[in-house]
Coordinates of all heavy atoms in Angstrom, one line a residue:
M28 N 49.7 54.2 21.3 CA 49.3 55.4 22.0 C 49.8 55.3 23.4 O 49.9 54.2 24.0 CB 47.8 55.4 22.0 CG 47.2 56.8 22.0 SD 45.4 56.7 21.6 CE 44.9 57.9 22.8
S29 N 50.1 56.4 24.0 CA 50.5 56.4 25.4 C 49.4 56.9 26.3 O 48.4 57.4 25.9 CB 51.8 57.3 25.5 OG 51.4 58.6 25.1
A30 N 49.6 56.7 27.6 CA 48.7 57.1 28.6 C 48.5 58.7 28.6 O 49.4 59.4 28.3 CB 49.1 56.7 30.0
I31 N 47.3 59.1 28.8 CA 46.9 60.5 28.7 C 46.8 61.0 30.1 O 46.2 60.4 31.0 CB 45.5 60.7 28.0 CG1 45.6 60.1 26.6 CG2 45.1 62.1 28.0 CD1 44.2 59.8 26.0
Q32 N 47.4 62.2 30.4 CA 47.2 62.9 31.7 C 45.8 63.5 31.7 O 45.4 64.3 30.8 CB 48.3 64.0 31.9 CG 49.7 63.5 31.8 CD 50.0 62.5 32.9 OE1 49.5 62.6 34.1 NE2 50.7 61.4 32.6
I33 N 45.0 63.0 32.7 CA 43.6 63.5 32.8 C 43.5 64.5 33.9 O 44.1 64.4 35.0 CB 42.7 62.3 33.1 CG1 42.7 61.2 32.0 CG2 41.3 62.8 33.3 CD1 42.2 61.6 30.7
N34 N 42.9 65.6 33.6 CA 42.6 66.7 34.6 C 41.2 67.2 34.4 O 40.4 66.7 33.5 CB 43.6 67.8 34.4 CG 43.6 68.4 33.0 OD1 42.6 68.7 32.5 ND2 44.8 68.5 32.4
K35 N 40.8 68.1 35.3 CA 39.4 68.5 35.2 C 39.0 69.2 33.9 O 37.9 69.2 33.5 CB 39.0 69.3 36.5 CG 39.8 70.6 36.7 CD 39.4 71.2 38.0 CE 40.3 72.5 38.2 NZ 40.1 73.0 39.5
T36 N 40.0 69.8 33.3 CA 39.8 70.5 32.0 C 39.5 69.5 30.9 O 38.6 69.8 30.1 CB 41.0 71.3 31.6 OG1 41.4 72.2 32.8 CG2 40.8 72.2 30.4
N37 N 40.2 68.4 30.8 CA 40.0 67.5 29.6 C 39.2 66.3 30.0 O 38.9 65.4 29.2 CB 41.3 67.1 29.0 CG 42.2 66.2 29.9 OD1 41.8 65.8 31.0 ND2 43.4 65.8 29.4
F38 N 38.7 66.1 31.3 CA 38.0 64.9 31.7 C 36.8 64.6 30.9 O 36.6 63.5 30.4 CB 37.6 65.1 33.2 CG 36.9 63.9 33.7 CD1 37.5 62.8 34.1 CD2 35.5 64.0 33.9 CE1 36.8 61.7 34.6 CE2 34.8 62.9 34.3 CZ 35.5 61.7 34.7
T39 N 35.9 65.6 30.7 CA 34.7 65.4 29.9 C 35.0 64.9 28.5 O 34.4 63.9 28.0 CB 33.8 66.6 29.8 OG1 33.5 67.0 31.2 CG2 32.6 66.4 29.0
E40 N 35.9 65.5 27.8 CA 36.2 65.2 26.4 C 36.9 63.8 26.4 O 36.6 62.9 25.5 CB 37.1 66.2 25.8 CG 37.3 66.1 24.3 CD 36.0 66.1 23.5 OE1 35.1 66.9 23.8 OE2 35.9 65.4 22.5
E41 N 37.9 63.6 27.2 CA 38.8 62.4 27.1 C 38.1 61.1 27.7 O 38.4 60.0 27.3 CB 40.1 62.6 27.8 CG 41.0 63.6 27.1 CD 41.5 63.1 25.7 OE1 41.3 61.9 25.4 OE2 42.1 63.9 25.0
V42 N 37.3 61.3 28.8 CA 36.7 60.2 29.5 C 35.2 60.0 29.2 O 34.8 59.0 28.7 CB 37.0 60.3 31.0 CG1 36.4 59.2 31.8 CG2 38.5 60.5 31.3
I43 N 34.4 61.0 29.6 CA 33.0 60.9 29.5 C 32.5 60.7 28.0 O 31.7 59.9 27.7 CB 32.3 62.2 30.1 CG1 32.6 62.4 31.5 CG2 30.8 62.1 29.9 CD1 32.2 61.2 32.4
R44 N 33.1 61.5 27.1 CA 32.7 61.4 25.7 C 33.6 60.4 24.9 O 33.4 60.4 23.7 CB 32.8 62.8 25.0 CG 31.9 63.8 25.6 CD 31.9 65.1 24.8 NE 31.0 66.1 25.4 CZ 31.3 67.4 25.5 NH1 32.3 67.8 24.9 NH2 30.4 68.2 26.0
S45 N 34.4 59.6 25.5 CA 35.3 58.7 24.8 C 34.4 57.6 24.1 O 33.5 57.1 24.6 CB 36.2 58.0 25.8 OG 37.0 57.0 25.1
D46 N 34.9 57.3 22.9 CA 34.2 56.3 22.1 C 34.8 54.9 22.5 O 34.3 53.9 21.9 CB 34.3 56.5 20.6 CG 35.7 56.6 20.1 OD1 36.6 56.7 21.0 OD2 35.9 56.7 18.9
R47 N 35.8 54.8 23.3 CA 36.4 53.6 23.8 C 36.3 53.5 25.3 O 36.2 54.5 26.0 CB 37.9 53.6 23.4 CG 38.1 53.6 21.9 CD 39.6 53.7 21.5 NE 40.0 55.1 21.8 CZ 41.3 55.5 21.8 NH1 42.2 54.6 21.6 NH2 41.6 56.7 22.0
P48 N 36.4 52.3 25.8 CA 36.5 52.2 27.3 C 37.8 52.9 27.8 O 38.8 53.0 27.1 CB 36.6 50.7 27.5 CG 36.1 50.0 26.3 CD 36.4 51.0 25.2
V49 N 37.7 53.5 29.0 CA 38.8 54.2 29.6 C 39.2 53.6 30.9 O 38.4 53.3 31.7 CB 38.4 55.7 29.8 CG1 39.6 56.5 30.4 CG2 37.9 56.4 28.5
L50 N 40.5 53.3 31.0 CA 41.1 52.8 32.2 C 41.8 54.0 32.9 O 42.7 54.5 32.4 CB 42.1 51.7 31.9 CG 43.0 51.2 33.1 CD1 42.1 50.6 34.2 CD2 43.9 50.1 32.6
L51 N 41.2 54.4 34.0 CA 41.8 55.5 34.7 C 42.6 55.0 35.9 O 42.2 54.2 36.7 CB 40.7 56.4 35.3 CG 39.9 57.3 34.4 CD1 38.8 58.0 35.1 CD2 40.7 58.3 33.7
D52 N 43.8 55.6 36.0 CA 44.7 55.3 37.1 C 44.8 56.5 38.0 O 45.3 57.5 37.6 CB 46.1 54.9 36.5 CG 47.2 54.7 37.6 OD1 46.8 54.3 38.7 OD2 48.3 55.0 37.3
F53 N 44.3 56.4 39.2 CA 44.5 57.4 40.2 C 45.8 57.1 41.0 O 45.9 56.1 41.6 CB 43.3 57.5 41.1 CG 42.0 58.0 40.5 CD1 41.2 57.1 39.8 CD2 41.7 59.3 40.5 CE1 40.1 57.6 39.2 CE2 40.6 59.8 39.9 CZ 39.7 58.9 39.2
W54 N 46.7 58.1 40.9 CA 48.1 57.8 41.4 C 48.7 59.1 42.0 O 48.1 60.2 41.8 CB 49.0 57.3 40.3 CG 49.3 58.4 39.3 CD1 48.4 58.9 38.3 CD2 50.5 59.1 39.1 NE1 49.1 59.9 37.6 CE2 50.4 60.0 38.1 CE3 51.8 59.0 39.8 CZ2 51.4 60.8 37.7 CZ3 52.8 59.8 39.4 CH2 52.6 60.7 38.3
A55 N 49.9 59.0 42.5 CA 50.7 60.1 43.0 C 52.2 59.7 42.8 O 52.5 58.6 43.0 CB 50.4 60.5 44.4
P56 N 53.1 60.7 42.6 CA 54.5 60.4 42.3 C 55.2 59.8 43.6 O 56.1 59.1 43.4 CB 55.1 61.8 42.0 CG 54.0 62.8 41.8 CD 52.7 62.1 42.3
W57 N 54.7 60.1 44.8 CA 55.3 59.7 46.0 C 54.9 58.3 46.4 O 55.4 57.7 47.4 CB 55.0 60.6 47.1 CG 53.6 61.0 47.2 CD1 53.0 62.2 46.7 CD2 52.5 60.3 47.8 NE1 51.7 62.2 46.9 CE2 51.3 61.0 47.6 CE3 52.4 59.1 48.5 CZ2 50.1 60.6 48.1 CZ3 51.2 58.7 49.0 CH2 50.0 59.4 48.8
C58 N 53.9 57.7 45.7 CA 53.3 56.4 46.0 C 54.1 55.2 45.4 O 54.1 55.1 44.1 CB 51.8 56.4 45.5 SG 51.1 54.8 45.5
G59 N 54.7 54.4 46.2 CA 55.5 53.3 45.7 C 54.8 52.3 44.8 O 55.2 52.0 43.7
P60 N 53.6 51.8 45.3 CA 52.8 50.9 44.5 C 52.4 51.5 43.2 O 52.3 50.9 42.1 CB 51.6 50.5 45.4 CG 52.1 50.7 46.8 CD 53.1 51.9 46.7
C61 N 52.1 52.8 43.2 CA 51.7 53.5 41.9 C 52.9 53.5 40.9 O 52.7 53.3 39.7 CB 51.4 55.0 42.2 SG 50.0 55.2 43.4
R62 N 54.1 53.7 41.4 CA 55.3 53.7 40.5 C 55.5 52.3 40.0 O 56.0 52.1 38.9 CB 56.5 54.2 41.3 CG 56.5 55.7 41.5 CD 57.8 56.2 41.9 NE 58.5 55.6 43.0 CZ 58.4 55.9 44.3 NH1 57.6 56.9 44.6 NH2 59.0 55.2 45.2
M63 N 55.0 51.2 40.7 CA 55.2 49.9 40.2 C 54.2 49.6 39.1 O 54.4 49.0 38.1 CB 54.9 48.8 41.3 CG 56.1 48.8 42.3 SD 55.7 47.8 43.8 CE 54.7 46.5 43.2
V64 N 53.0 50.2 39.2 CA 51.9 50.0 38.3 C 52.1 50.8 37.0 O 51.6 50.4 35.9 CB 50.5 50.2 38.9 CG1 49.4 50.3 37.9 CG2 50.2 49.2 40.0
G65 N 52.7 52.0 37.2 CA 52.8 52.9 36.1 C 53.4 52.3 34.7 O 52.7 52.5 33.7
P66 N 54.5 51.6 34.8 CA 55.0 51.0 33.6 C 54.1 50.0 32.9 O 54.0 49.9 31.7 CB 56.3 50.4 34.0 CG 56.7 51.1 35.3 CD 55.4 51.5 35.9
I67 N 53.4 49.2 33.8 CA 52.4 48.3 33.3 C 51.3 49.0 32.5 O 50.9 48.5 31.4 CB 51.8 47.4 34.4 CG1 52.9 46.6 35.1 CG2 50.7 46.5 33.9 CD1 52.5 46.0 36.4
L68 N 50.8 50.1 33.0 CA 49.7 50.8 32.4 C 50.2 51.4 31.1 O 49.5 51.5 30.1 CB 49.2 51.9 33.3 CG 48.4 51.3 34.5 CD1 48.1 52.4 35.5 CD2 47.1 50.6 34.1
D69 N 51.5 51.9 31.1 CA 52.0 52.5 29.8 C 52.2 51.4 28.8 O 51.9 51.6 27.6 CB 53.4 53.1 30.1 CG 53.4 54.4 30.9 OD1 52.3 55.0 30.9 OD2 54.4 54.7 31.6
E70 N 52.5 50.2 29.2 CA 52.6 49.0 28.3 C 51.2 48.7 27.7 O 51.1 48.5 26.5 CB 53.1 47.8 29.1 CG 53.6 46.7 28.2 CD 54.3 45.6 29.1 OE1 55.4 45.9 29.7 OE2 53.7 44.6 29.3
I71 N 50.2 48.7 28.6 CA 48.8 48.4 28.1 C 48.4 49.5 27.1 O 47.8 49.2 26.1 CB 47.9 48.3 29.3 CG1 48.2 47.1 30.1 CG2 46.4 48.3 28.9 CD1 47.4 47.0 31.5
A72 N 48.7 50.8 27.4 CA 48.3 51.9 26.5 C 49.0 51.7 25.1 O 48.3 52.0 24.1 CB 48.7 53.2 27.1
Q73 N 50.2 51.2 25.1 CA 50.9 51.0 23.8 C 50.3 49.8 23.1 O 50.2 49.8 21.8 CB 52.4 50.7 24.1 CG 53.2 51.9 24.6 CD 53.3 53.0 23.6 OE1 53.4 52.7 22.4 NE2 53.3 54.2 24.0
E74 N 49.9 48.7 23.8 CA 49.5 47.5 23.1 C 48.0 47.5 22.7 O 47.6 46.9 21.7 CB 49.6 46.3 24.1 CG 51.1 46.0 24.4 CD 51.2 45.0 25.5 OE1 50.2 44.5 26.1 OE2 52.4 44.6 25.7
R75 N 47.1 48.2 23.5 CA 45.7 48.1 23.3 C 45.2 49.4 22.7 O 44.9 50.4 23.4 CB 45.0 47.8 24.6 CG 45.3 46.5 25.2 CD 44.6 45.4 24.6 NE 43.2 45.5 24.7 CZ 42.4 45.0 25.6 NH1 42.8 44.3 26.6 NH2 41.1 45.2 25.5
T76 N 44.9 49.4 21.4 CA 44.3 50.6 20.7 C 42.8 50.7 20.9 O 42.3 51.7 20.6 CB 44.7 50.7 19.2 OG1 44.2 49.4 18.6 CG2 46.2 50.8 19.0
D77 N 42.2 49.6 21.4 CA 40.8 49.6 21.6 C 40.3 50.2 22.9 O 39.1 50.3 23.1 CB 40.3 48.1 21.5 CG 40.9 47.2 22.5 OD1 42.1 47.4 22.8 OD2 40.2 46.4 23.1
I78 N 41.3 50.6 23.7 CA 41.0 51.3 25.0 C 41.8 52.6 25.1 O 42.8 52.7 24.4 CB 41.2 50.4 26.2 CG1 42.7 50.0 26.3 CG2 40.3 49.2 26.2 CD1 43.1 49.5 27.7
K79 N 41.5 53.4 26.1 CA 42.2 54.6 26.4 C 42.7 54.4 27.8 O 41.9 54.0 28.7 CB 41.3 55.8 26.2 CG 42.0 57.1 26.2 CD 41.0 58.2 26.1 CE 40.4 58.4 24.7 NZ 39.6 59.7 24.6
V80 N 43.9 54.8 28.1 CA 44.5 54.7 29.5 C 44.7 56.2 29.9 O 45.4 56.9 29.2 CB 45.8 53.9 29.5 CG1 46.4 54.0 30.9 CG2 45.6 52.5 29.1
G81 N 44.1 56.5 31.0 CA 44.3 57.9 31.6 C 44.9 57.9 32.9 O 44.6 56.9 33.7
K82 N 45.7 58.8 33.2 CA 46.4 58.9 34.5 C 45.9 60.2 35.2 O 46.0 61.2 34.6 CB 47.9 58.9 34.4 CG 48.4 57.6 33.8 CD 49.9 57.5 33.6 CE 50.7 57.2 34.8 NZ 50.5 56.0 35.4
V83 N 45.4 60.0 36.5 CA 45.0 61.2 37.3 C 45.9 61.3 38.5 O 45.9 60.5 39.4 CB 43.5 61.0 37.7 CG1 43.0 62.2 38.5 CG2 42.6 60.7 36.5
N84 N 46.7 62.4 38.5 CA 47.5 62.7 39.7 C 46.6 63.2 40.8 O 46.1 64.3 40.6 CB 48.6 63.6 39.3 CG 49.6 63.9 40.4 OD1 49.2 64.0 41.5 ND2 50.8 64.2 40.0
V85 N 46.4 62.5 41.9 CA 45.5 62.9 42.9 C 46.0 64.2 43.6 O 45.1 64.9 44.2 CB 45.2 61.8 43.9 CG1 44.5 60.6 43.2 CG2 46.5 61.3 44.6
D86 N 47.3 64.4 43.7 CA 47.8 65.7 44.3 C 47.4 66.9 43.5 O 47.1 67.9 44.0 CB 49.3 65.6 44.5 CG 49.7 64.6 45.5 OD1 48.9 64.2 46.4 OD2 50.9 64.2 45.5
E87 N 47.4 66.7 42.1 CA 47.1 67.9 41.3 C 45.6 68.0 40.9 O 45.1 69.0 40.5 CB 47.9 67.7 40.0 CG 49.4 67.8 40.2 CD 50.2 67.5 38.9 OE1 49.6 67.2 37.9 OE2 51.4 67.6 39.0
Q88 N 44.9 66.9 41.1 CA 43.4 66.8 40.7 C 42.6 66.3 41.9 O 41.9 65.2 41.7 CB 43.3 65.9 39.5 CG 44.0 66.4 38.3 CD 43.7 67.8 37.8 OE1 42.5 68.1 37.8 NE2 44.7 68.5 37.4
P89 N 42.6 66.9 43.0 CA 41.9 66.4 44.2 C 40.4 66.4 43.9 O 39.7 65.5 44.5 CB 42.2 67.4 45.3 CG 42.7 68.6 44.6 CD 43.3 68.2 43.3
E90 N 39.8 67.3 43.1 CA 38.4 67.3 42.8 C 38.0 66.0 42.1 O 37.0 65.4 42.4 CB 38.0 68.5 41.9 CG 38.3 69.8 42.5 CD 39.7 70.3 42.1 OE1 40.5 69.6 41.4 OE2 40.0 71.5 42.4
L91 N 38.8 65.5 41.1 CA 38.5 64.3 40.4 C 38.6 63.1 41.3 O 37.8 62.2 41.3 CB 39.4 64.1 39.2 CG 39.1 64.9 37.9 CD1 40.1 64.7 36.8 CD2 37.7 64.6 37.4
A92 N 39.6 63.1 42.1 CA 39.8 62.0 43.1 C 38.6 61.9 44.0 O 38.0 60.8 44.3 CB 41.1 62.1 43.9
G93 N 38.1 63.1 44.5 CA 36.9 63.1 45.4 C 35.7 62.7 44.7 O 34.8 62.0 45.2
Q94 N 35.5 63.1 43.4 CA 34.4 62.7 42.6 C 34.2 61.2 42.5 O 33.1 60.7 42.4 CB 34.5 63.3 41.2 CG 33.4 63.1 40.3 CD 33.7 63.8 38.9 OE1 34.3 64.9 38.9 NE2 33.1 63.3 37.9
F95 N 35.4 60.5 42.5 CA 35.4 59.0 42.4 C 35.5 58.3 43.7 O 35.6 57.1 43.8 CB 36.5 58.5 41.4 CG 36.1 58.8 40.0 CD1 36.4 60.0 39.4 CD2 35.5 57.8 39.2 CE1 36.1 60.2 38.0 CE2 35.2 58.0 37.9 CZ 35.5 59.2 37.3
G96 N 35.5 59.1 44.8 CA 35.7 58.6 46.1 C 37.0 57.8 46.4 O 37.0 56.9 47.2
V97 N 38.0 58.3 45.7 CA 39.3 57.6 45.9 C 39.9 58.0 47.3 O 40.1 59.1 47.6 CB 40.3 58.1 44.8 CG1 41.7 57.6 45.0 CG2 39.8 57.7 43.4
M98 N 40.1 56.9 48.1 CA 40.6 57.1 49.4 C 42.0 56.6 49.6 O 42.8 57.0 50.5 CB 39.7 56.4 50.4 CG 38.3 56.9 50.5 SD 38.3 58.7 50.8 CE 37.5 58.7 52.3
S99 N 42.4 55.7 48.7 CA 43.8 55.2 48.7 C 44.2 54.9 47.3 O 43.4 54.7 46.4 CB 44.0 54.0 49.6 OG 43.2 53.0 49.3
I100 N 45.5 54.9 47.1 CA 46.0 54.8 45.7 C 47.1 53.7 45.7 O 47.7 53.4 46.7 CB 46.6 56.1 45.2 CG1 47.6 56.7 46.2 CG2 45.5 57.1 44.9 CD1 48.3 57.9 45.7
P101 N 47.3 53.0 44.5 CA 46.6 53.3 43.3 C 45.2 52.7 43.3 O 44.9 51.7 43.8 CB 47.5 52.6 42.3 CG 48.1 51.4 43.0 CD 48.3 52.0 44.4
T102 N 44.3 53.5 42.6 CA 43.0 53.0 42.3 C 42.8 53.1 40.8 O 43.1 54.1 40.2 CB 41.9 53.9 43.0 OG1 42.0 53.8 44.4 CG2 40.5 53.5 42.6
M103 N 42.3 52.0 40.3 CA 42.0 51.9 38.8 C 40.5 51.8 38.6 O 39.9 51.0 39.3 CB 42.8 50.7 38.2 CG 44.2 51.0 38.1 SD 45.2 49.5 37.8 CE 45.5 49.0 39.5
V104 N 40.0 52.7 37.7 CA 38.6 52.7 37.4 C 38.4 52.5 35.9 O 39.1 53.2 35.1 CB 38.0 54.1 37.8 CG1 36.5 54.2 37.4 CG2 38.2 54.3 39.4
V105 N 37.5 51.6 35.5 CA 37.2 51.4 34.1 C 35.8 52.1 33.9 O 34.9 51.8 34.6 CB 37.1 49.9 33.8 CG1 36.7 49.7 32.3 CG2 38.4 49.2 34.1
M106 N 35.8 52.9 32.8 CA 34.6 53.6 32.4 C 34.2 53.3 31.0 O 35.1 53.2 30.1 CB 34.8 55.1 32.6 CG 35.0 55.5 34.1 SD 35.0 57.3 34.3 CE 33.2 57.6 34.0
K107 N 33.0 53.0 30.8 CA 32.4 52.8 29.4 C 31.2 53.7 29.3 O 30.3 53.7 30.2 CB 32.1 51.4 29.2 CG 33.3 50.4 29.2 CD 32.8 49.0 28.9 CE 34.1 48.1 29.0 NZ 33.7 46.7 29.0
G108 N 31.1 54.4 28.2 CA 29.9 55.3 28.0 C 29.7 56.3 29.1 O 28.6 56.6 29.4
G109 N 30.8 56.8 29.7 CA 30.7 57.8 30.8 C 30.3 57.2 32.1 O 30.1 58.0 33.1
K110 N 30.2 55.9 32.3 CA 29.8 55.3 33.5 C 30.9 54.3 34.1 O 31.6 53.7 33.3 CB 28.5 54.5 33.4 CG 27.4 55.3 32.8 CD 26.1 54.9 33.4 CE 24.9 55.7 32.9 NZ 25.0 57.1 32.7
V111 N 31.0 54.3 35.4 CA 32.0 53.4 36.0 C 31.4 51.9 35.9 O 30.3 51.7 36.3 CB 32.2 53.7 37.5 CG1 33.1 52.7 38.2 CG2 32.8 55.1 37.6
V112 N 32.2 51.0 35.3 CA 31.8 49.7 35.2 C 32.7 48.7 36.0 O 32.3 47.5 36.2 CB 31.8 49.2 33.7 CG1 30.8 50.0 32.9 CG2 33.2 49.3 33.0
N113 N 33.8 49.2 36.4 CA 34.7 48.3 37.2 C 35.7 49.2 37.9 O 36.0 50.3 37.5 CB 35.4 47.3 36.4 CG 35.6 46.0 37.1 OD1 35.6 45.9 38.3 ND2 35.9 44.9 36.3
Q114 N 36.2 48.7 39.1 CA 37.3 49.4 39.7 C 38.1 48.4 40.6 O 37.5 47.4 41.0 CB 36.9 50.6 40.4 CG 36.0 50.5 41.7 CD 35.6 51.9 42.2 OE1 34.8 52.6 41.6 NE2 36.2 52.3 43.3
A115 N 39.3 48.8 40.9 CA 40.2 48.0 41.7 C 41.1 48.9 42.5 O 41.5 49.9 42.0 CB 41.0 47.0 40.9
L116 N 41.5 48.4 43.7 CA 42.3 49.1 44.6 C 43.7 48.4 44.7 O 43.7 47.2 44.9 CB 41.6 49.3 45.9 CG 42.3 50.1 47.0 CD1 42.4 51.5 46.6 CD2 41.4 50.0 48.3
G117 N 44.8 49.1 44.7 CA 46.1 48.5 45.0 C 46.8 48.1 43.7 O 46.2 48.0 42.6
A118 N 48.1 47.9 43.9 CA 48.9 47.4 42.8 C 48.5 46.0 42.4 O 48.3 45.2 43.2 CB 50.4 47.5 43.2
R119 N 48.5 45.8 41.0 CA 48.1 44.5 40.5 C 49.0 44.1 39.3 O 49.5 45.0 38.6 CB 46.6 44.5 40.0 CG 45.7 44.7 41.2 CD 44.3 45.0 40.7 NE 43.4 45.2 41.9 CZ 42.7 44.3 42.4 NH1 42.7 43.1 42.0 NH2 42.0 44.6 43.5
P120 N 49.1 42.8 39.1 CA 49.9 42.4 37.9 C 49.1 42.7 36.6 O 47.9 42.9 36.7 CB 50.1 40.9 38.0 CG 49.0 40.5 39.0 CD 48.7 41.7 39.9
K121 N 49.8 42.7 35.5 CA 49.1 43.1 34.2 C 47.9 42.3 33.9 O 46.9 42.8 33.5 CB 50.2 42.9 33.1 CG 49.7 43.4 31.7 CD 50.8 43.3 30.7 CE 50.4 43.7 29.3 NZ 51.4 43.6 28.4
S122 N 48.0 41.0 34.2 CA 46.8 40.1 33.9 C 45.6 40.5 34.6 O 44.5 40.5 34.1 CB 47.2 38.6 34.2 OG 47.5 38.5 35.6
Q123 N 45.7 40.9 35.9 CA 44.6 41.3 36.7 C 44.0 42.7 36.2 O 42.8 43.0 36.2 CB 44.9 41.4 38.2 CG 45.0 40.0 38.8 CD 45.3 40.1 40.3 OE1 45.1 41.1 40.9 NE2 45.8 39.0 40.8
I124 N 44.9 43.6 35.8 CA 44.5 44.9 35.3 C 43.7 44.7 34.0 O 42.6 45.2 33.8 CB 45.7 45.8 35.0 CG1 46.4 46.2 36.4 CG2 45.3 47.1 34.3 CD1 47.7 46.9 36.3
L125 N 44.2 43.8 33.1 CA 43.5 43.5 31.8 C 42.2 42.9 32.1 O 41.2 43.1 31.4 CB 44.4 42.6 30.9 CG 45.6 43.3 30.3 CD1 46.5 42.3 29.6 CD2 45.2 44.4 29.4
A126 N 42.1 42.1 33.2 CA 40.8 41.4 33.5 C 39.7 42.4 33.9 O 38.5 42.1 33.8 CB 41.0 40.4 34.6
L127 N 40.1 43.6 34.4 CA 39.2 44.6 34.7 C 38.4 45.1 33.5 O 37.3 45.6 33.6 CB 39.9 45.8 35.4 CG 40.5 45.6 36.7 CD1 41.3 46.8 37.1 CD2 39.4 45.4 37.8
L128 N 39.1 45.0 32.4 CA 38.5 45.6 31.1 C 37.4 44.6 30.6 O 36.5 45.0 29.9 CB 39.6 45.8 30.1 CG 40.7 46.8 30.5 CD1 41.8 46.6 29.6 CD2 40.1 48.2 30.5

């Protein structure tokens, strides 16, 4: 499975009602560290069928970024059962991202 583009229209269905933990990546195309993390998250999405990886473009979805208090990017948020259970700020290696789960 590949990463899902998350927006305010599909957020409830894809994230809140998800039967699997969701790793959300708040990012923007102009953000260098975000571009470094992007391929790692795509790899995780391909390898781990037990989780869902969602990408939130903060330029296109400012309401969602505000809802999560995202002040800098990349920010990764792990949600289970519709609740935030973990989050991390900044580019990280794959092992640290997986440790968030």
